[in-house]
Amino acid sequence: MPSRGRPPLVRRLAPPLGTLAAVVAAFAYVGAVDPNEPGHYPVCPLLRFTGLYCPGCGGLRSAHAFVHGDLAAAFGANALAVTGYLVFAVVIVLWLVRAARDLPVRVTVGPFWGWALGAVLALFAIVRNLPFGSGLAP
């Protein structure tokens, strides 16, 4: 019968390292294939059919600039996406540390946080489409 001790370190680190590897691969692809060149990525359907920017518009250009170390261009393309990159970095570090220490990782997001995130995304989308918020447009 197997022991009920701590799982090996490799097994504990596999999920966060796998997630990190997938994100790094995605960023590497976007860094290598420039979204500013037409034909590589699909056009945002909301932008195409309405002319309005969604909260994600400019996200690929933002990721491309971020990978190349141009933070000003990254923020200019999509400030909310850059904030998301930084939040992801904090979360992945916490996940790795907790996994290495064999501490449980429990993510419980209450309804308030879901509504708050939705409100931030909606507000960002609305403001970047108004004349005074044009600095947030990609």
Side-chain angles (χ1 to χ4, degrees):
M1 176 168 234
S3 73
R4 295 192 163 243
R6 292 171 51 165
L9 181 62
V10 172
R11 185 168 180 185
R12 294 192 314 262
L13 291 178
L17 288 176
T19 301
L20 182 59
V23 170
V24 166
F27 269 83
Y29 181 80
V30 173
V33 181
D34 190 353
N36 296 301
E37 299 292 326
H40 294 294
Y41 300 100
V43 176
C44 172
L46 184 68
L47 180 62
R48 182 177 194 162
F49 295 118
T50 68
L52 297 173
Y53 297 115
C54 76
C57 279
L60 287 173
R61 290 186 297 277
S62 173
H64 182 78
F66 190 83
V67 166
H68 290 275
D70 189 352
L71 295 182
F75 271 103
N78 192 321
L80 197 59
V82 175
T83 304
Y85 310 152
L86 300 176
V87 168
F88 173 79
V90 169
V91 168
I92 199 73
V93 167
L94 291 174
W95 190 7
L96 282 164
V97 168
R98 292 188 68 82
R101 293 181 177 172
D102 198 25
L103 298 172
V105 179
R106 292 189 184 95
V107 178
T108 55
V109 179
F112 169 80
W113 292 109
W115 284 102
L117 178 61
V120 166
L121 291 170
L123 186 62
F124 181 71
I126 291 168
V127 169
R128 73 192 317 210
N129 284 290
L130 295 174
F132 68 86
S134 63
L136 294 174

